[in-house]
Amino acid sequence: MPTLSEDKAWEHQAKEFDEHRDSKCRALLWTMRTGKSKTVIDKAEYQFAQGNIEGVIVLAPNGIHLNWLINEIPKWSWPINEYMVFGWETPKRADWDRIVALEVFEAYHDGIRYLTVNMEALSHPDCIKAIRRFKKSCNNKIMLVISEAHHFGHAGAKRTRLARNLGKTAKFITVETGTPILNSPLRAYSIYKILDDLSLGPEFAGDTYGKFDLRYAEYEIDPGATRYQAKRRAYKKLKCYKNLDELRDKMAPWSSVVMREDVGDMPDLLRTERIVVMSEIQRKAYLEMVSRHLVEIGDEMVTAKDGGARVQKLQQILNGYVKDGDNIIDIDSDAPVYRALLEEVGGTLPGKSIVWCRYREDIRRVCAKLRQAGYGVLEFHGGVPTDQREPVRLAFQNDPEYTVLVGQPGAGGEGRDLSAADTVIFFS
């Protein structure tokens, strides 16, 4: 049976549906913009039409769970199935409208129901209670979807344990992520145990992360550690991964891997690097800061925390300032990096650009420079309230007045359609 939206399906989506629509457990390791959401929804709608499920629980990072509610489910749901979606937000005291809306959602039985939950709220008692009530209202016939599953990669995290417990009673489970697990192979343990306790082999059944860790990673002891300290994990450093071919073979039966180059009509990414020379003012400040650090360090070791803070100050100098506590010390407000940024954005016109920054001060300075140059700028970062992020995204996608989106990857770099951009610039 083909998908009902076959005219919109890529070959790899149709193949996954045809071969695995009845598979209980699947992991979609597909890179960004390769259609994970549509594939997940196609399977859910098919299983509902077959009478095998009555509802779907989608666990996703905060904000991305609302993207499922607002964009993905309405876009890809099947015309033959009625549906209702409820995006979880922990209700405030006496928020009767929200409470009534949840009760109406639980009582809806004319079609398939989707409960989208932000993973940060998963351990909240109200959220746990709502999930239990939802499962009961669906007669425990649910499909569990873990979106951006790499966030569930820590074996001991409470939300990972809760997700595993949900998976034990789900009729179908799909985990999806655009972030390759092979960047950190040990995360495969938590993600695949959500699918099935035996997914990585009977030798890792139960709570066996320590055994898994020893099988696929090798550590070395900090040479400065005492005999007693050497027994503690804090004094062990990852030396290398091992037996990765074996791990890949264990994951393979449960997994589908799609890379960007596997999608025939998707254009190649062109990666370029822009070299920017510091101004003389920046160079002097940089060298002064380096020499000060060397004097402070001398022959002594510094902690990772102190070392990171010092490197951070060097990076800030490259962007024309230094942050000292709550104070911003201006080094060069017209640093060459801003002229280079304006040239890159201007070279993209009439297309649109995304500028990713690491620090809030970088965002402030970049936005000021772009607006001063006459560009329509939108901001997308941790300081933008969750309920305002979707309007910002839509404005960037659809409004020609806005040509640049400036933000932090942690807030907008995953799970959202920002395909209006022709260029992505990593500023920090």
Side-chain angles (χ1 to χ4, degrees):
M1 174 183 174
T3 65
L4 296 191
S5 50
E6 185 177 23
D7 57 321
K8 299 178 182 178
W10 280 319
E11 182 179 350
H12 64 277
Q13 292 173 315
K15 181 173 185 256
E16 175 67 22
F17 181 82
D18 289 341
E19 297 180 2
H20 295 286
R21 62 176 177 253
D22 290 315
S23 298
K24 178 183 177 182
C25 306
R26 289 295 287 168
L28 304 183
L29 310 181
W30 297 6
T31 54
M32 289 189 302
R33 306 291 302 154
T34 51
K36 297 184 291 293
S37 300
K38 169 181 164 48
T39 306
V40 169
I41 293 168
D42 273 344
K43 181 172 181 176
E45 297 280 332
Y46 171 80
Q47 292 300 338
F48 173 77
Q50 297 299 305
N52 295 325
I53 64 171
E54 295 182 17
V56 181
I57 298 175
V58 180
L59 302 182
N62 189 32
I64 296 176
H65 78 298
L66 297 180
N67 182 59
W68 278 82
L69 179 151
I70 296 169
N71 295 311
E72 303 302 332
I73 295 169
K75 183 177 182 180
W76 301 118
S77 62
W78 287 9
I80 64 169
N81 294 334
E82 297 290 335
Y83 73 89
M84 180 178 281
V85 189
F86 188 90
W88 175 258
E89 291 179 15
T90 303
K92 299 179 175 63
R93 184 175 297 177
D95 185 358
W96 301 114
D97 290 343
R98 191 73 179 166
I99 294 170
V100 170
L102 180 59
E103 291 175 348
V104 170
F105 174 72
E106 291 171 347
Y108 178 78
H109 291 290
D110 293 335
I112 185 171
R113 286 171 287 167
Y114 292 87
L115 175 64
T116 66
V117 179
N118 59 310
M119 64 182 192
E120 294 84 357
L122 186 56
S123 59
H124 194 282
D126 286 339
C127 185
I128 294 173
K129 182 179 178 181
I131 289 175
R132 287 174 179 167
R133 288 173 52 177
F134 176 68
K135 288 174 60 181
K136 185 177 180 180
S137 71
C138 293
N139 299 305
N140 287 318
K141 297 168 65 175
I142 65 161
M143 175 175 172
L144 176 64
V145 177
I146 311 289
S147 181
E148 307 298 340
H150 54 280
H151 289 283
F152 290 79
H154 296 287
K158 186 174 181 179
R159 67 184 177 212
T160 301
R161 296 197 302 271
L162 290 170
R164 285 179 63 181
N165 289 335
L166 274 176
K168 290 176 183 178
T169 58
K171 300 296 183 183
F172 299 91
I173 310 167
T174 298
V175 301
E176 56 94 337
T177 176
T179 302
I181 291 176
L182 290 181
N183 285 349
S184 181
L186 299 181
R187 287 177 173 263
Y189 177 87
S190 298
I191 295 172
Y192 279 75
K193 294 278 274 189
I194 293 173
L195 291 177
D196 190 285
D197 189 45
L198 299 176
S199 60
L200 298 174
E203 65 271 32
F204 299 121
D207 188 10
T208 53
Y209 180 73
K211 184 178 179 181
F212 180 87
D213 189 16
L214 290 175
R215 179 61 184 168
Y216 297 110
E218 186 173 326
Y219 296 87
E220 56 187 9
I221 305 299
D222 186 334
T226 67
R227 182 178 58 168
Y228 300 103
Q229 290 173 334
K231 296 179 180 180
R232 297 168 54 191
R233 185 178 180 86
Y235 290 89
K236 296 180 181 180
K237 184 173 68 173
L238 179 66
K239 182 179 180 181
C240 63
Y241 297 115
K242 59 184 181 180
N243 301 318
L244 293 187
D245 286 345
E246 174 188 290
L247 178 58
R248 180 197 61 201
D249 291 343
K250 288 178 179 292
M251 294 162 59
W254 309 85
S255 309
S256 170
V257 180
V258 175
M259 307 302 290
R260 186 183 180 94
E261 53 267 26
D262 296 329
V263 184
D265 57 352
M266 187 173 286
D268 293 334
L269 291 174
L270 302 177
R271 296 178 173 87
T272 61
E273 185 176 290
R274 176 75 181 259
I275 305 298
V276 181
V277 179
M278 288 186 288
S279 68
E280 186 63 23
I281 300 173
Q282 286 177 290
R283 191 180 70 83
K284 288 180 179 179
Y286 192 93
L287 293 176
E288 180 184 343
M289 188 70 72
V290 170
S291 62
R292 184 188 306 171
H293 289 346
L294 292 175
V295 169
E296 291 175 356
I297 295 171
D299 295 329
E300 302 296 324
M301 298 287 288
V302 298
T303 65
K305 181 179 179 181
D306 289 341
R310 294 174 184 187
V311 170
Q312 186 180 73
K313 289 187 182 298
L314 295 177
Q315 182 177 340
Q316 290 169 354
I317 291 175
L318 299 179
N319 294 338
Y321 68 93
V322 171
K323 188 173 182 181
D324 184 15
D326 293 331
N327 299 320
I328 301 295
I329 301 172
D330 189 64
I331 301 295
D332 186 354
S333 58
D334 291 318
V337 68
Y338 296 104
R339 293 196 294 273
L341 173 66
L342 292 175
E343 290 174 5
E344 293 294 332
V345 171
T348 302
L349 295 176
K352 297 191 176 190
S353 303
I354 297 174
V355 181
W356 293 130
C357 300
R358 183 177 179 185
Y359 307 112
R360 197 68 63 83
E361 179 63 16
D362 288 348
I363 292 175
R364 188 189 70 79
R365 289 174 175 247
V366 164
C367 289
K369 293 291 184 183
L370 289 167
R371 287 174 178 136
Q372 186 179 359
Y375 292 103
V377 179
L378 292 164
E379 298 184 31
F380 205 114
H381 49 75
V384 178
T386 302
D387 60 355
Q388 295 180 21
R389 295 183 185 183
E390 180 60 15
V392 169
R393 188 194 71 83
L394 289 174
F396 179 71
Q397 287 288 98
N398 304 315
D399 192 337
E401 178 184 348
Y402 298 106
T403 53
V404 188
L405 179 76
V406 181
Q408 293 168 312
E414 63 180 8
R416 290 180 174 85
D417 181 3
L418 296 171
S419 56
D422 297 274
T423 299
V424 179
I425 300 170
F426 292 92
F427 179 79
S428 300

